[in-house]
């Protein structure tokens, strides 16, 4: 269902937009005037164009302000000025430049209108196999993204389903061009997810990257794309991943495979974003030698230096797959001569599906700390947006998109600061209520981890849907996600004496995890296989800690409802009621997790809870 939408963190615009125009400076002026009017302010603001970069500064200027920057920087500066004025903050900012060059949102939208792992309604861009959208709404969305510094959007799913495979063919190019023009004034360029095997369905009859006919076909196709959309950012490829076709089908490696596209794209200034989510998804569960987290690193590190300069390897933050708590992917710390992007997932596939509250920046803080010094120059996020009235299903999930943009710009997650900014912009709360909401956001990730995934154990989710508990759902499947729990032991040994995954890290990180007695306890069972009676540092046994976490997490999840109820009358009623219903579902979900996971371990270990709470047989 299409509906109008909320203004999210830009309420002062009241859903009004400036007229479309090509002239960037003029557009920035229009947006500024509109925003100031919405804020009820008449301060003088001057815009000074200096150079053509993305950075900007804001300085006090007499009674008003002056914003300086390149064309794009000025627009970013205008939004930041409005945001700061609206949040009651001093707008002055010394020159600020983005930490990550490519700041991207990946939609997993299918032409059918369904969004893969989408929890906020249907696609904003497609339905029934065709481009179908409200131009106004797309522009409001582009403005939201631009206001937090996003510069690239991929509209279609990495799993390229028909007819999305033909988006780069003549019949769809005009449509793609039309939607690109809606994003353009906001400095956002489009990327298209492309099917690697496409030429096999045309004259070449194969997609072998070393076949000259295939090379000629891609060159011609890419030239034609750029004739229609000269500023297209480039292509995104998911190859040899979860049964998508790729160079391995032809006995070629991924450097050979990528060159096929990076060379013709480079001619037009285009980039190739190449996903590294490559692992054996047809593993035999009896095979204990293969350890899925090792896959990305093993598939790529030996290719360092062989990718063209316009190739960016897109690497999920964790070596598994967007789990609530994983260590950083070692591939992000490797390949110094290759362009790399960190990939996060705003869509809460494994983190509560926009029913359960899960504010992500605390997790990003952990990742960025481990990534310090690595040459990761780009960032992307799987979108949590759909055509729901509030954009993100759960109103509070907007905070993740806002904070993502801010993190992509600043390079630090600053969970509390970004959360506070978002609250101030979105709701009109007195200090006590503001603090209540901020504390809820800040606690949410740890609460979620407590009632779902103890100490780095992953994959206890319900198969396929990935919401709710099913501890052994994936145990005897081909996905490489085995727990292998027994009556004596739990966790996985990924140290040198186990799968050896730990050896993919630089020595300093290996040290952090190698010894169970010293290992960061939050990831203890990701790296170690231990007896239930293993002593945690606070003296509790491992099994007691697991029981305690689940009881505590479920209780805290329940208490979120009460904390939210204390905000009644302060949050707009419709938002309040909508979110309340989600908090109630979260509390029920947390109880399921608590009881099922506790029972799961109890049935294996037969060890009672020391505190005598109910654990079912
Ligand atoms: C996860 C997710 C899939 C998705 C894949 C990816 O496995 O469940 O829906 O296609 O990630 O990132 O490509």
């Amino acid at each position: 269902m299409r509906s109008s939408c909320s203004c999210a963190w830009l309420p002062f615009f009241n859903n009004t937009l400036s007229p479309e125009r090509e002239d960037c400076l003029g557009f920035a002026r229009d947006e500024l005037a509109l925003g100031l009017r919405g804020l009820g302010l008449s301060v003088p603001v001057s815009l000074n164009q200096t150079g053509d970069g993305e950075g900007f500064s804001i300085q006090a200027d007499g009674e008003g302000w002056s914003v300086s920057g390149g064309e794009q920087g000025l627009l970013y500066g205008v939004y930041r000025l409005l945001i700061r004025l609206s949040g009651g903050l001093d707008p002055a900012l010394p020159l600020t430049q983005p930490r990550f060059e490519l700041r991207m949102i990946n939609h997993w939208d299918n032409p059918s209108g369904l969004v893969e792992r989408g929890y906020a309604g249907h696609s904003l861009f497609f339905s029934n196999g065709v481009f179908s959208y409200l131009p106004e709404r797309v522009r409001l969305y582009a403005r939201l993204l631009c206001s937090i510094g996003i510069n690239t959007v991929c509209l279609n799913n990495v799993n390229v389903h028909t007819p999305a495979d033909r988006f780069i063919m003549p019949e769809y190019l005009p449509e793609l061009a039309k939607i690109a023009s809606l994003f353009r004034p906001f400095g956002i360029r489009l990327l298209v997810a492309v099917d690697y095997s496409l030429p096999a369905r045309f004259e070449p009859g194969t997609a072998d990257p070393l076949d000259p006919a295939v090379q000629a076909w891609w060159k011609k196709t890419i030239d034609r794309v750029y004739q229609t959309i000269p500023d297209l950012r480039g292509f995104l490829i998911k190859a040899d991943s979860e049964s998508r076709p790729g160079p391995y089908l032809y006995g070629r490696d991924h450097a050979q495979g990528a060159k096929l596209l990076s060379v013709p794209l480079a001619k037009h200034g285009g980039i190739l974003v190449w996903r590294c989510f490559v692992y054996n998804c047809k593993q035999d569960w009896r095979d204990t030698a293969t350890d899925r987290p090792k896959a990305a690193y093993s598939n790529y590190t030996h290719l360092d230096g062989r990718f063209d300069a316009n190739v960016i390897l897109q690497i999920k933050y964790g070596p598994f797959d967007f789990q609530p708590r994983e260590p950083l992917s070692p591939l992000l710390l490797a390949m110094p001569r290759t362009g790399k992007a960190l990939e996060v997932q705003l869509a809460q596939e494994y983190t509560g599906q926009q029913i359960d509250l899960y504010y992500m920046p605390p997790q990003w803080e952990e990742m960025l700390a481990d990534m310090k010094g690595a040459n990761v120059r780009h960032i992307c996020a799987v979108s949590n947006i759909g055509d729901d009235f509030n954009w993100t299903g759960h109103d509070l999930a907007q905070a993740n998109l806002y904070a993502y943009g801010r993190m992509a710009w600043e390079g630090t997650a600053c969970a509390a600061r970004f959360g506070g900014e978002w609250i101030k912009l979105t709701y009109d709360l007195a200090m006590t209520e503001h603090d209540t909401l901020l504390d809820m956001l800040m606690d949410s990730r740890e609460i979620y981890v407590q009632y779902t995934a103890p100490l780095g154990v992953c994959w206890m989710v319900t198969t396929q849907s990935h919401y709710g508990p099913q501890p052994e759902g994936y145990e005897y499947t081909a996905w490489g996600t085995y727990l292998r729990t027994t009556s004596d032991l739990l966790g996985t040994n990924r140290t040198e004496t186990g799968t050896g995954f730990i050896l993919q890290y630089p020595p300093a990180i290996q040290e952090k995890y190698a010894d169970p007695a010293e290992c960061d306890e939050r990831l203890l069972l990701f790296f170690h296989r231990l007896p239930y009676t293993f002593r945690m540092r606070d003296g509790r046994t491992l099994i007691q800690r697991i029981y305690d976490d689940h009881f505590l997490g479920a209780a805290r999840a329940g208490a979120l409802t009460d904390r939210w109820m204390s905000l009644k009358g302060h949050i707009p009623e419709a938002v309040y009621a909508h979110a309340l219903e989600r908090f109630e579902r979260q509390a029920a979900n947390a109880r399921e997790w608590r009881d099922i996971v506790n029972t799961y371990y109890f049935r294996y270990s037969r060890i009672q809870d020391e505190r005598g709470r109910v654990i079912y047989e």
Side-chain angles (χ1 to χ4, degrees), residues 295-575:
Y297 185 98
S298 315
N299 273 290
Y300 289 95
T301 38
H302 63 286
L303 302 176
D304 193 26
R306 286 185 47 211
F307 290 98
D308 288 336
N310 63 333
V311 178
I312 296 170
L313 298 188
Q314 192 186 65
I315 303 164
K316 289 191 181 185
Y317 65 77
F320 256 137
D321 182 7
F322 300 139
Q323 300 295 295
R325 179 162 269 136
E326 290 184 63
L328 189 74
S329 167
L331 188 56
L332 285 158
L333 306 174
M335 302 190 75
R337 291 179 292 154
T338 306
K340 295 192 290 288
L342 168 69
E343 181 176 3
V344 299
Q345 192 187 39
L346 300 173
Q348 291 174 231
E349 175 178 357
Y350 298 101
T351 55
Q353 305 201 348
Q354 285 140 252
I355 300 164
D356 300 25
L357 184 64
Y358 188 98
Y359 177 58
M360 296 180 180
Q363 183 173 15
W364 300 338
E365 281 177 349
E366 288 172 15
M367 281 158 18
L368 292 173
D370 280 340
M371 225 174 73
K372 233 187 185 135
N375 76 329
V376 179
R377 301 207 319 271
H378 312 282
I379 190 160
C380 44
V382 180
S383 157
N384 61 353
I385 292 284
D387 71 350
D388 273 4
F389 168 82
N390 61 8
W391 302 97
T392 48
H394 196 316
D395 283 82
L396 302 185
Q398 286 176 13
N400 284 328
L401 178 59
Y402 177 82
Y404 167 71
R406 300 286 289 115
M407 183 249 299
W409 187 277
E410 297 207 359
T412 52
C414 305
R417 182 154 66 86
F418 297 159
E421 280 177 27
W422 176 79
I423 292 170
K424 278 212 183 98
L425 290 165
T426 309
Y427 304 118
D428 186 14
L429 297 179
M431 202 42 111
T432 315
E433 286 75 28
H434 169 280
D435 290 351
T436 299
L437 186 50
L438 183 57
D439 288 347
M440 289 171 71
L441 291 179
M442 292 297 290
D443 293 346
S444 60
R445 191 271 183 128
E446 214 45 52
I447 292 176
Y448 188 83
V449 169
Q450 278 175 331
Y451 65 77
T452 60
L455 311 169
V457 168
C458 302
W459 299 109
M460 287 192 163
V461 285
T462 303
T463 55
Q464 292 177 8
S465 80
H466 297 170
Y467 187 77
Q470 193 184 351
E472 290 196 330
Y474 278 114
E475 198 59 16
Y476 303 101
T477 67
W479 296 96
T481 53
Y482 316 111
L483 305 177
R484 306 189 199 283
T485 305
T486 68
S487 54
D488 301 318
L489 298 168
L490 67 164
T492 306
N493 181 358
R494 295 197 163 94
T495 68
E496 214 171 337
T497 59
T499 72
F501 163 73
I502 202 171
L503 301 173
Q504 296 182 341
Y505 286 106
I509 299 204
Q510 287 187 32
E511 258 168 48
K512 221 167 108 172
Y513 302 123
D515 176 358
E518 303 278 314
C519 178
D520 178 342
E521 286 190 337
R522 296 171 303 179
L523 287 165
L524 187 64
L525 296 174
F526 190 95
F527 285 99
H528 299 282
R529 188 156 176 78
L530 297 168
Y532 293 91
T533 49
F534 176 86
R535 286 282 160 196
M536 302 297 286
R537 258 160 264 162
D538 64 6
R540 280 182 290 177
T541 59
L542 176 53
I543 185 66
Q544 190 56 40
R545 166 69 191 271
I546 290 174
Y547 292 153
D548 287 350
D549 270 17
H550 283 83
F551 283 116
L552 184 61
R556 292 175 80 198
L560 283 173
T561 313
D562 305 326
R563 288 158 90 182
W564 183 247
M565 284 166 79
S566 78
L567 300 178
K568 188 170 169 57
H570 301 277
I571 298 276
E573 185 53 31
V575 174

Side-chain angles (χ1 to χ4, degrees), residues 108 116-117 157-159 238 241-242 275 277 279 292 316 321-322 343 345 349-350 466:
W108 282 1
E116 180 157 340
R117 311 302 178 187
N157 191 356
V158 288
N159 297 314
K238 171 176 176 176
S241 164
E242 300 188 324
R275 295 180 90 228
F277 188 50
Y279 67 97
R292 174 167 156 184
K316 289 191 181 185
D321 182 7
F322 300 139
E343 181 176 3
Q345 192 187 39
E349 175 178 357
Y350 298 101
H466 297 170

Side-chain angles (χ1 to χ4, degrees), residues 35-75:
L36 288 174
R37 202 176 320 137
L39 286 169
L41 295 173
S42 57
V43 281
V45 178
S46 63
L47 302 184
N48 308 309
Q49 197 177 333
T50 49
D52 56 5
E54 294 187 305
F56 64 87
S57 63
I58 304 174
Q59 282 157 326
D61 182 7
E63 299 286 282
W65 304 96
S66 118
V67 182
S68 306
E71 275 193 351
Q72 185 57 42
L74 279 178
L75 188 58

Side-chain angles (χ1 to χ4, degrees), residues 7-38:
C7 324
W9 56 84
L10 301 175
F12 46 83
F13 279 121
N14 203 15
N15 277 350
T16 49
L17 273 157
S18 308
E20 285 181 58
R21 50 153 132 193
E22 294 281 303
D23 152 35
C24 283
L25 190 56
F27 185 69
R29 277 210 186 94
D30 291 348
E31 286 286 88
L32 175 64
L34 201 59
L36 288 174
R37 202 176 320 137

Side-chain angles (χ1 to χ4, degrees), residues 138-169:
V138 172
R139 294 185 71 222
L140 290 171
Y141 176 50
R143 174 201 267 159
L144 274 183
L145 295 185
C146 179
S147 76
I148 49 171
I150 302 301
N151 64 6
T152 305
V153 169
C154 181
L155 302 177
N156 65 308
N157 191 356
V158 288
N159 297 314
V160 184
H161 302 301
T162 313
D165 54 341
R166 301 181 71 94
F167 282 177
I168 52 169
M169 300 309 285

